[in-house]
Amino acid sequence: MEELSSICRRRDYDWRYLSKSWRPPAVVIALAAVGSIFIPAGEVWRWGYLLGVLLVLNVLARRAHRDVPLGLAMAQWIWGTDHPRVVRLRVAWAAQLSRQGRIGLAVTQLDDILPGMIEVWGPDHPETLTVRAMHLRLRGDYGALPGRVAALEELTGEMLRAMGPGHPETLAARGLMAKWLDQDGDTNRALALYEDVVSVSSETLGAGDTLTLRARRALIELRYITASDANNMDGRYAALDEMTDAVRDMLWVLGPAHPITVGSQRTLDLWMEETRVDIALGKIRPFDARRRGEADPGSV
């Protein structure tokens, strides 16, 4: 199941948006206006010196839009390490590192960020809780983290108290816990948790929200796998029907080119091919025959 967290897609955590918001040309104009007050018009060399400094600053600011370490250094020099904008820049950099597969560096970055967020913003601040969930996900998904489900369960309890059950980040964390429960073999708890995430997300965010659709897809996939492993063909056909309906909704809401739609359609095509092969081999009856009450060959 894909990561459900929405923090990396929010505008206030987007590196390009934050770096653009510095408005380098406006800074240059403001400095030039201040310089015109203190530099006499006759001292041309001072004007040249000021213009050179302003141009260098402008070039550095524009380069910082593309060079993240340089941008972070400039932001920390301007605002300080604990400024909210700098903290968000650092979190955005960690998210970018994780997308590049540099998980160790991303975890190290978050290790350095979190103590300051907890001290300055507080442990129950929504953004602190969200970054804690992001940190735990990276450690749990890509490293050896004993007791990861228990740690995430404790964190989701804090998120439920602070942000409520319908907050996107709370739903994302609970979806992640369902994924880990499934990976650890606790299928029944995973199914129940996925069902609750889909229900709450549909009520609060809407049935067409990407988080709802991702959780719905994960729930159907787990139902199909569980039914197949148990040779429960009624459950398998039911999952096929549910995925067909889900793909239709994704096509309507997200469009055919969206990654969620593409992945779900690919999964549905694979399941349909598996079913056709099993029918051809006589392992299961066609769906119409099952509706007439005929048994599976393998179930007799």
Side-chain angles (χ1 to χ4, degrees):
M1 180 182 180
E2 299 92 337
E3 183 212 346
L4 297 178
S5 179
S6 62
I7 187 171
C8 300
R9 296 186 294 274
R10 285 167 46 187
R11 192 174 70 167
D12 54 347
Y13 276 91
D14 182 77
W15 170 259
R16 294 185 178 276
Y17 168 74
L18 286 167
S19 58
K20 280 182 178 178
S21 68
W22 297 354
R23 309 291 185 192
V27 174
V28 171
I29 294 172
L31 290 175
V34 172
S36 65
I37 298 174
F38 298 101
I39 300 178
E43 300 184 17
V44 180
W45 69 272
R46 292 183 181 270
W47 279 104
Y49 177 78
L50 176 63
L51 181 60
V53 171
L54 296 179
L55 287 175
V56 169
L57 289 174
N58 196 27
V59 169
L60 288 174
R62 290 183 178 277
R63 184 182 171 189
H65 177 56
R66 299 182 299 273
D67 189 336
V68 180
L70 174 62
L72 280 175
M74 291 184 64
Q76 289 175 347
W77 179 69
I78 295 171
W79 292 301
T81 305
D82 296 329
H83 191 281
R85 179 171 290 179
V86 177
V87 173
R88 290 178 180 133
L89 282 170
R90 297 177 70 194
V91 173
W93 175 226
Q96 185 172 324
L97 288 171
S98 69
R99 286 192 294 267
Q100 295 171 354
R102 301 160 72 183
I103 305 301
L105 287 175
V107 171
T108 301
Q109 181 79 357
L110 293 176
D111 284 337
D112 190 47
I113 296 169
L114 272 172
M117 293 188 72
I118 293 172
E119 181 180 355
V120 177
W121 296 10
D124 294 330
H125 190 282
E127 294 186 49
T128 303
L129 291 169
T130 300
V131 176
R132 286 174 62 194
M134 178 181 174
H135 182 240
L136 187 59
R137 180 188 69 82
L138 291 176
R139 293 170 61 212
D141 271 345
Y142 302 100
L145 181 61
R148 62 178 185 172
V149 173
L152 184 56
E153 192 169 11
E154 181 181 353
L155 178 58
T156 54
E158 296 180 39
M159 297 175 83
L160 283 167
R161 290 190 297 271
M163 299 189 289
H167 193 282
E169 302 301 341
T170 305
L171 291 167
R174 299 185 71 213
L176 177 62
M177 186 162 67
K179 170 187 169 183
W180 285 355
L181 286 169
D182 176 37
Q183 291 176 348
D184 291 349
D186 198 344
T187 306
N188 291 332
R189 282 186 66 193
L191 282 169
L193 191 52
Y194 272 138
E195 289 170 357
D196 191 53
V197 168
V198 171
S199 175
V200 175
S201 183
S202 299
E203 292 177 3
T204 56
L205 304 181
D209 187 84
T210 55
L211 193 151
T212 305
L213 293 173
R214 287 177 189 248
R216 183 179 170 191
R217 169 184 165 180
L219 172 61
I220 297 170
E221 287 177 344
L222 185 54
R223 283 175 174 169
Y224 180 88
I225 294 171
T226 303
S228 297
D229 291 343
N231 199 27
N232 177 6
M233 298 315 301
D234 287 330
R236 182 169 164 180
Y237 277 122
L240 276 169
D241 289 340
E242 290 178 13
M243 185 61 84
T244 302
D245 294 339
V247 170
R248 184 182 62 245
D249 294 342
M250 292 171 187
L251 287 168
W252 177 260
V253 176
L254 304 176
H258 195 281
I260 300 177
T261 308
V262 173
S264 302
Q265 183 66 64
R266 188 180 297 117
T267 299
L268 178 60
D269 292 341
L270 177 62
W271 292 355
M272 295 295 291
E273 183 61 27
E274 289 177 351
T275 304
R276 283 192 289 268
V277 170
D278 288 344
I279 291 174
L281 295 175
K283 293 181 179 179
I284 60 174
R285 295 287 186 183
F287 182 67
D288 290 341
R290 290 182 56 79
R291 294 182 63 182
R292 292 195 296 270
E294 300 178 21
D296 291 329
S299 64
V300 177

